[in-house]
């Protein structure tokens, strides 16, 4: 586990201006009348061997961002450099030889495994597609992978429905590992699992990272889990990245008001502290990504909103080394407010999860 | 998970993955209805194909002199004619055998053709968005066509040409099979398209896409096996449909020529004499129903056996 990002590590994934719009067609002629801006101009880097946590409420574009990154979608605009190769605008055919480098672990372990294939066939599929292994060699590799993720070799002939959720997720991880990838997008890999199984799967992911030097983009709405696994954390709101910072810095002193509100929703295990925890409850709903507000996307709900927020879109910029934020509060011309949870309604109600399954 | 700690060396030698087909067969054998259906179908097929070798009376054989002919018309069951005779004193058992040969062949072939066409169109239009519009409009077009007149026109136009090239029996067979196949694939295509559209959004298809599986293998490995159930149902219904359409065509005089008995023709020929000689209607009717029913049950069993989630229960 790399608890602190190594400054010497080189950049493995570099995303610049990623846009993923889904067109809306209306009317009899199905004219293109607008776009759902699922991911709107997002830029970030992922260093080799680190885990970047990506958090945000449901519908904010986390999963779309992850999927666009490994080009499951044809992106609208932007560049995605993976290990020095720009895969952003590449054709799917040209992309195919690069696929082994980047893999994905899916959210729903039930839906991400073909119910008609055996475990061996599921794990072996990438091997069939990308290697020239003979059948016995392939079987050997499948058994190795099953050992690596802690699955009994004897299960190789079974079908996905015969497994528990945690075991299924292990199958999904084994499939993602089959081709020795360098970069894995974990799209809420633990959201569909029981809490006790969540820990197993997360520990497995960490162990594999140690052993194989993997790089993760860990998408989740579980802030405590992200705190556990991630080295740096990025926060998304309505298709935009609002803050990106090293984990401890972000959790200790969030800069963006949205991050603040999000973090205030994390339940505290200690009951005496929990009773004094002050929630920032955001008012209103998330605006539609098809029609985001003018200026800052968060201006409709921000407790610290200023007039400029409704006019000018804040730039996503590096405030301190390694700390990126998109907020007018930190503009040079503006006075930096005192840190603290001054805005918002304070309440002691039962914690409400900020994000649900997205 | 305790098995995580198990070392590979502790385990006995693991057999390589066994063939799925043995599991499928084992499950199929557990399906009582399917086994009975299979037995009935085998009996019918044996009756139709081996029967004529044992029962030596020909389907067109008639008494030569007029008096015997008149006397042996519309007879009830007897030792000489176990199922009686028809209005021309021909042996009903022999006609049933000869008719079954054609009816079963037409049913199976036309069903195969229509299912293949339907699945092809359905998968293509469901999977490739660009083809969807065109192929579905084509399907609508075929659905909107009045089928019987179309069949009649097809048969009228092409029967003689094809019969010249391939001979009367083979020519008519091919013509009827393709006519039925071409006009009955639409429902299957629609059902398959719907299933494919739903499957395409499932995460395992995305997972395969993230591996870089090309569309051809994606369809063969992930899509087709998962649309098997509706296809199976369409197929079993298709056999019945084909047999009945063939008999309708024969009835209208545009199917097989009158001297080729088929189950459908026997049925229609017998309708006028239903009250005098009910056997003429009952036997072909029973044969068609039994075939359709047994195929239905076999399809049911196959569908269950091919689904790993049901298998082993």
């Amino acid at each position: 586990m790399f608890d602190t990002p190594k400054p010497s590590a080189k950049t493995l994934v570099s995303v610049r201006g990623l846009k993923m719009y889904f067109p809306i067609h209306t009317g009899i002629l199905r004219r293109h009348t607008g776009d759902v801006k699922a991911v709107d101009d997002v830029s970030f880097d992922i260093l080799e061997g680190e885990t970047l946590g990506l958090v945000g409420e449901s519908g904010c574009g986390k999963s779309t961002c992850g999927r666009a990154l490994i080009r499951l979608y044809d992106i609208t605009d932007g560049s995605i450099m993976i290990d020095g190769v720009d895969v952003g605008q590449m054709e799917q055919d040209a992309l195919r030889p690069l696929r082994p480098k980047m893999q994905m672990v899916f959210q729903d372990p039930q839906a991400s495994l073909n119910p008609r294939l055996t475990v061996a066939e599921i794990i072996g599929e990438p091997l069939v597609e990308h290697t020239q292994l003979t059948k016995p060699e392939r079987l050997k590799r499948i058994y190795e992978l099953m050992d690596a993720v802690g699955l009994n070799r004897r299960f190789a002939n079974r079908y996905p429905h015969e497994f528990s959720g945690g075991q299924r997720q292990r199958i999904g991880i084994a499939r993602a590992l089959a081709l020795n990838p360098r970069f894995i997008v974990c799209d809420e890999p633990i959201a569909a699992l029981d809490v006790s199984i969540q820990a197993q799967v997360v520990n497995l992911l960490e162990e594999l990272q140690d052993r194989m030097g993997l790089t993760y983009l860990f998408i989740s709405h579980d802030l405590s889990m992200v705190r556990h696994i991630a080295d740096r954390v990025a926060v998304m709101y309505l298709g935009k990245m609002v803050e990106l910072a090293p984990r401890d810095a972000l959790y200790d002193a969030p800069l963006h008001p949205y991050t603040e509100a999000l973090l205030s929703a994390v339940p505290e295990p200690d009951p005496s502290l929990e009773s004094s925890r002050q929630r920032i409850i955001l008012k209103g709903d998330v605006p539609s990504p098809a029609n985001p507000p003018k200026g800052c996307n968060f201006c409709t709900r921000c407790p610290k909103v200023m007039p400029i927020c409704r006019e000018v879109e804040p730039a996503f910029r590096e405030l301190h080394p390694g700390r990126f934020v998109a907020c007018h509060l930190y503009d040079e011309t503006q006075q930096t407010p005192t840190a603290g949870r001054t805005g918002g309604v304070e309440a002691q109600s039962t914690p409400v999860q900020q994000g649900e399954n997205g | 998970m305790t098995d995580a700690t198990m070392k590979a060396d502790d385990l006995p030698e693991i057999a390589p993955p066994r063939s799925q087909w043995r599991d499928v067969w084992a499950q199929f054998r557990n399906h009582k209805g399917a086994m009975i259906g299979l037995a009935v179908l085998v009996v019918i097929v044996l009756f139709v194909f081996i029967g004529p070798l044992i029962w030596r009376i020909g389907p067109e054989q008639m008494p030569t002199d007029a008096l015997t002919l008149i006397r042996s018309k519309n007879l009830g069951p007897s030792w000489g004619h176990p199922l009686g005779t028809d209005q021309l004193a021909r042996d009903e058992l022999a006609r049933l055998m000869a008719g079954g040969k054609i009816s079963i062949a037409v049913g199976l072939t036309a069903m195969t053709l229509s299912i293949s066409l339907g699945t092809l169109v359905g998968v293509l239009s469901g999977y490739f968005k660009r083809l969807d519009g065109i192929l579905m409009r084509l399907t609508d077009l075929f659905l909107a066509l009045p089928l019987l007149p179309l069949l009649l026109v097809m048969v009228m136009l092409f029967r003689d040409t094809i019969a010249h090239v391939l001979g009367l029996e083979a020519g008519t067979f091919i013509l009827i099979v393709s006519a039925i196949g071409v006009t009955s694939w639409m429902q299957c295509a629609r059902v398959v398209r719907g299933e494919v559209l739903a499957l395409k959004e499932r995460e395992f298809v995305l997972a395969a896409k993230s591996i870089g599986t090309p569309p051809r293998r994606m369809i063969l490995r992930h899509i087709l096996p998962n649309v098997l159930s509706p296809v199976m149902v369409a197929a079993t219904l298709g056999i019945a449909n084909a047999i009945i359409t063939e008999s309708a065509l024969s009835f209208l005089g545009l199917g097989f020529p009158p001297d080729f008995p088929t189950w459908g023709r026997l049925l229609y020929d017998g309708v006028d004499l239903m009250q005098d000689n009910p056997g003429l209607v009952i036997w072909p009717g029973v044969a068609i129903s039994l075939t359709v029913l047994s195929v239905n049950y076999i399809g049911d069993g196959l569908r269950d056996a091919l689904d790993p989630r049901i298998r082993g229960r």
Side-chain angles (χ1 to χ4, degrees):
Chain A
M1 215 188 316
F2 305 131
D3 269 336
T4 46
K6 284 188 279 183
S8 59
K10 72 177 183 101
T11 306
L12 184 71
V13 180
S14 167
V15 179
R16 291 287 171 271
L18 176 66
K19 288 181 185 167
M20 183 68 229
Y21 294 175
F22 295 101
I24 305 169
H25 299 281
T26 46
I28 287 173
L29 297 173
R30 317 300 302 157
R31 263 194 318 210
H32 181 198
T33 49
D35 294 293
V36 174
K37 296 176 179 170
V39 179
D40 193 8
D41 201 3
V42 163
S43 303
F44 59 92
D45 289 329
I46 306 178
L47 305 179
E48 187 155 18
E50 80 163 344
T51 303
L52 177 70
L54 184 56
V55 298
E57 61 197 278
S58 58
C60 72
K62 308 185 295 287
S63 291
T64 310
C65 183
R67 289 178 180 186
L69 220 59
I70 61 166
R71 284 297 312 282
L72 285 178
Y73 300 130
D74 290 331
I75 61 173
T76 311
D77 195 19
S79 79
I80 303 165
M81 301 279 279
I82 295 186
D83 204 17
V85 186
D86 188 351
V87 298
Q89 306 295 338
M90 224 178 232
E91 289 293 314
Q92 291 291 347
D93 287 343
L95 207 57
R96 197 165 174 260
L98 299 173
R99 287 278 182 203
K101 258 188 231 170
M102 42 187 190
Q103 286 293 313
M104 187 154 182
V105 175
F106 289 88
Q107 173 177 7
D108 185 349
Q110 165 86 56
S112 66
L113 306 174
N114 187 339
R116 298 202 176 238
L117 296 183
T118 62
V119 170
E121 287 167 327
I122 289 171
I123 301 177
E125 191 188 357
L127 301 171
V128 176
E129 286 297 331
H130 286 284
T131 62
Q132 308 295 325
L133 298 179
T134 60
K135 234 177 176 182
E137 283 171 348
R138 198 160 66 221
L139 200 61
K140 193 164 151 271
R141 175 83 181 123
I142 291 168
Y143 284 150
E144 277 171 25
L145 288 162
M146 292 181 74
D147 291 346
V149 298
L151 280 170
N152 192 327
R153 288 180 176 206
R154 269 185 285 208
F155 294 161
N157 275 331
R158 298 202 182 166
Y159 290 90
H161 70 100
E162 296 171 87
F163 291 91
S164 70
Q167 286 171 316
R168 281 185 206 146
Q169 198 55 283
R170 283 167 195 265
I171 300 170
I173 293 171
R175 171 177 57 190
L177 291 175
L179 296 166
N180 292 318
R182 304 191 48 197
F183 172 53
I184 297 184
V185 174
C186 304
D187 184 4
E188 308 210 27
I190 52 169
L193 302 178
D194 194 74
V195 179
S196 57
I197 312 292
Q198 284 185 358
Q200 287 181 5
V201 170
V202 164
N203 289 339
L204 172 69
L205 284 171
E206 288 191 320
E207 188 197 316
L208 292 169
Q209 184 173 41
D210 273 354
R211 212 173 337 141
M212 306 170 145
L214 299 169
T215 306
Y216 292 142
L217 175 68
F218 192 88
I219 300 169
S220 181
H221 58 252
D222 186 337
L223 291 162
S224 322
M225 202 50 100
V226 168
R227 186 173 200 167
H228 174 71
I229 193 169
D231 301 312
R232 292 191 303 148
V233 180
V235 183
M236 276 185 82
Y237 180 80
L238 205 64
K240 296 215 180 245
M241 203 162 270
V242 296
E243 187 164 359
L244 171 64
R247 176 192 62 190
D248 291 333
L250 185 111
Y251 278 82
D252 292 342
L255 292 178
H256 199 282
Y258 179 65
T259 317
E260 259 178 61
L262 208 57
L263 289 178
S264 79
V266 179
E268 170 66 49
D270 184 341
S272 57
L273 290 177
E274 169 72 16
S275 60
S276 63
R277 186 165 64 94
Q278 289 173 332
R279 284 270 276 120
I280 301 171
I281 295 190
L282 298 175
K283 279 184 230 142
D285 281 327
V286 188
S288 157
N291 184 21
K294 193 174 172 230
C296 176
N297 270 354
F298 191 48
C299 69
T300 54
R301 303 172 75 198
C302 184
K304 298 175 181 172
V305 66
M306 302 178 292
I308 187 177
C309 300
R310 302 193 199 277
E311 298 299 327
V312 184
E313 194 184 320
F316 186 65
R317 60 200 177 84
E318 191 163 17
L319 200 64
H320 312 302
R323 294 209 68 171
F324 296 82
V325 70
C327 185
H328 287 302
L329 286 174
Y330 305 99
D331 287 350
E332 266 79 48
T333 51
Q334 294 284 327
Q335 191 194 334
T336 315
T338 48
R341 292 158 179 162
T342 48
V345 181
E346 295 176 352
Q348 299 186 352
S349 58
T350 46
V352 180
Q353 274 294 98
Q354 275 289 330
E356 291 132 83
N357 287 359
Chain B
M1 225 180 278
T2 47
D3 30 63
T5 54
M6 260 195 202
K7 283 281 172 318
D9 315 328
D10 305 344
L11 292 172
E13 193 61 34
I14 306 164
R18 59 185 187 279
S19 159
Q20 286 183 47
W21 296 107
R22 241 192 305 163
D23 293 355
V24 171
W25 173 238
Q27 171 68 26
F28 186 80
R29 272 201 339 227
N30 279 338
H31 197 291
K32 252 189 209 142
M35 284 314 279
I36 294 173
L38 188 66
V40 170
L41 191 70
V42 166
V43 167
I44 292 176
V45 168
L46 286 180
F47 167 74
V48 159
F49 288 94
I50 310 290
L53 302 178
I54 300 163
W55 189 253
R56 303 306 300 226
I57 300 179
E60 300 302 325
Q61 200 172 317
M62 287 185 257
T64 38
D65 67 300
L67 192 66
T68 336
L69 195 147
I70 291 168
R71 273 208 198 125
S72 53
K73 256 174 35 173
N74 290 330
L75 288 182
S78 65
W79 284 113
H81 304 286
L83 300 183
T85 56
D86 69 357
Q87 70 278 20
L88 292 174
R90 291 172 294 194
D91 181 56
E92 183 71 6
L93 182 63
R95 287 181 72 72
L96 209 56
M97 288 172 183
K101 220 189 285 184
I102 295 176
S103 281
I104 289 179
V106 166
L108 289 178
T109 328
M111 177 272 288
T112 314
L113 187 68
S114 103
I115 291 302
S116 320
L117 258 178
T119 312
L120 184 76
V121 172
V123 166
L124 288 182
S125 69
Y127 193 82
F128 300 102
K129 216 177 171 187
R130 254 176 305 156
L131 294 176
D132 192 21
I134 299 175
L135 286 177
M136 276 300 111
R137 293 301 79 75
L138 183 78
T139 310
D140 289 345
L141 182 96
F142 267 89
L143 276 172
L145 286 174
L147 290 190
L148 212 50
L150 181 78
L151 281 175
L152 296 183
V153 171
M154 274 175 77
V155 173
M156 287 260 276
L157 285 179
F158 301 120
R159 184 165 59 178
D160 294 337
T161 344
I162 296 183
H164 264 298
V165 181
L166 294 166
L168 190 59
E169 194 175 2
T172 319
F173 179 78
I174 286 178
L175 186 66
I176 289 189
V177 161
S178 42
I180 295 173
V182 163
T183 52
S184 61
W185 53 269
M186 291 81 73
Q187 277 79 5
C188 178
R190 283 221 161 154
V191 172
V192 168
R193 171 180 172 267
E195 286 280 311
V196 171
L197 281 179
L199 277 173
K200 211 172 68 169
E201 300 304 316
R202 294 277 296 274
E203 277 186 340
F204 67 81
V205 175
L206 270 185
K209 205 176 162 195
S210 80
I211 289 163
T213 312
R216 189 169 51 87
R217 274 197 290 273
M218 187 88 87
I219 288 171
L220 288 179
R221 197 182 296 151
H222 295 290
I223 305 275
L224 270 188
N226 282 296
V227 294
L228 207 67
S229 308
V231 169
M232 215 54 126
V233 173
T236 50
L237 294 176
I239 289 191
N241 193 30
I243 290 180
I244 288 163
T245 313
E246 183 276 320
S247 47
L249 277 180
S250 300
F251 179 61
L252 292 168
L254 288 162
F256 286 90
D259 45 340
F260 285 101
T262 69
W263 282 346
R265 173 170 286 277
L266 292 184
L267 195 63
Y268 279 116
D269 285 352
V271 169
D272 294 339
L273 303 156
M274 200 158 28
Q275 284 185 326
D276 300 338
N277 191 356
L280 291 186
V281 183
I282 291 173
W283 292 117
V286 165
I288 293 177
S289 314
L290 270 184
T291 310
V292 170
L293 204 62
S294 63
V295 170
N296 252 328
Y297 270 104
I298 292 170
D300 208 26
L302 261 185
R303 193 192 58 207
D304 286 2
L306 288 172
D307 190 340
R309 280 162 295 189
I310 297 173
R311 196 154 73 217
R313 232 185 254 160

